[in-house]
Amino acid sequence: MPMPQDRNWMLYALKLAENGRGAVEPNPMVGAVIVRDGVLVGEGYHQRYGEAHAEVHALQQAGDAARGATLYVTLEPCCHFGKTPPCTDAVLRSGVNRVVVAMADPFPAVAGGGLSILQQAGLTIEVGVCDVESKLLNAPYLKRLQTGRPYVIAKWAMTLDGKIAARTGHSQWISGPESRAIVHTIRGQVDGILVGRGTLLSDDPHLVARPAGPRTATRIILTRSGELPLACRLLDTVTEAPILIISGSTSDRELLNHWRNRGAEVLILSEFTIPVLLDELGRRRMTNLLVEGGSAILGAFFDAEAIDAVWVFIAPKLVGGDRAIGPISGTGLTAIPSLASLRNRRIEQIGDDVLITGTLHD
């Protein structure tokens, strides 16, 4: 039976787990705390892919104090040999007598096996404390397990009247420096950053994290036609981060070969669609994909129902104009939704801007 204090300790474990974002993928983020007689005696989180899991760090810190204690862990302890030994072995050796788990791990090699081992050994097991928060934290991991595709984060900055660029195409800078710093943090945590040919031509983006984060994202350019510039910042920085050009079967091969010869990878898709693209990125073991636009690309992802989360920076600026560009084009919906599109909403002020984040699915 869950105890009143279980939720508070699990929320703390989830906060610890967040520290692994960008460093542990394609593994899940996991946090663990060990509590004995109401006192925290050990804590840890999964710090880097291939290294010790959260439970091991927490148990090492607790030492002998773990005996008779409660272990709170945000995901079911693993029970198989992967990059590291099974965490269930460490838990059983520690003398912990109660394990509280936020959610079972759907990974096929675990999938309830870890809980079963601990229960059969006589430990008291509680499952489901903060399960909603745990699923939200590891939504990218869960999506990739379920679909084989990366989790798609759509990001844009817009004016108060909903424009991402003036009618001339000018767009720098809509958001303030504090907002742009957050974008660089996100870039340093994802596997891929995607823009379309239009954004490449109009903005000449760099698409790297400054300063560098735990991950170096592949810079992905979508161009059905293969029409690309012969010179730009991406080509000048091809050694800083990988470049992947994804094009259609009727594309300009000469231009694509120019990029290939400079060091970019070129992929031709016979079926140039968002689902096929995401399948390919999933095969490349990408867990998180940041889509930065422009409006045609964001519209294509929206029409394909492929956006999982949004990060929208709203600046207190007005640009006006019926030819100014909005964030999402494409076909769009035929009617205004009756319910809010954004779930798990969060609104905060960032410098002069307002940041709205949320998910499009539960």
Side-chain angles (χ1 to χ4, degrees), residues 77-275:
C78 67
C79 56
H80 67 291
F81 279 91
K83 296 286 185 182
T84 60
C87 288
T88 48
D89 290 356
V91 173
L92 292 174
R93 287 195 303 268
S94 72
V96 162
N97 63 9
R98 181 172 181 258
V99 179
V100 181
V101 177
M103 61 173 288
D105 188 351
F107 185 67
V110 185
L115 296 173
S116 178
I117 288 171
L118 298 178
Q119 199 161 31
Q120 289 175 12
L123 277 67
T124 300
I125 306 296
E126 306 283 356
V127 183
V129 176
C130 297
D131 59 334
V132 172
E133 292 87 347
S134 182
K135 289 174 182 175
L136 183 60
L137 174 73
N138 276 313
Y141 167 75
L142 297 173
K143 181 187 177 183
R144 191 166 174 274
L145 275 183
Q146 183 178 5
T147 69
R149 295 174 177 174
Y151 190 79
V152 176
I153 305 163
K155 167 253 136 184
W156 65 86
M158 68 183 186
T159 60
L160 197 59
D161 54 341
K163 310 298 184 182
I164 65 169
R167 58 183 173 82
T168 60
H170 183 264
S171 62
Q172 295 179 334
W173 295 101
I174 290 176
S175 58
E178 298 89 348
S179 295
R180 298 198 295 274
I182 290 175
V183 172
H184 282 287
T185 298
I186 302 170
R187 286 179 175 178
Q189 297 172 336
V190 299
D191 298 298
I193 303 168
L194 185 147
V195 298
R197 178 185 65 87
T199 297
L200 180 65
L201 294 174
S202 63
D203 293 352
D204 191 17
H206 193 193
L207 301 180
V208 296
R210 297 188 300 270
R215 301 189 91 70
T216 300
T218 298
R219 298 174 288 177
I220 304 168
I221 308 298
L222 283 192
T223 168
R224 182 186 296 273
S225 66
E227 183 183 348
L228 295 168
L230 292 172
C232 64
R233 287 208 294 172
L234 256 65
L235 280 175
D236 291 340
T237 59
V238 69
T239 59
E240 290 185 25
I243 297 173
L244 173 62
I245 306 298
I246 299 181
S247 191
S249 57
T250 59
S251 55
D252 187 325
R253 303 305 172 95
E254 186 175 343
L255 277 173
L256 293 177
N257 282 335
H258 171 73
W259 279 68
R260 184 184 284 114
N261 292 337
R262 290 288 299 273
E265 181 185 357
V266 175
L267 175 66
I268 305 296
L269 294 180
S270 57
E271 186 180 349
F272 194 77
T273 66
I274 299 302

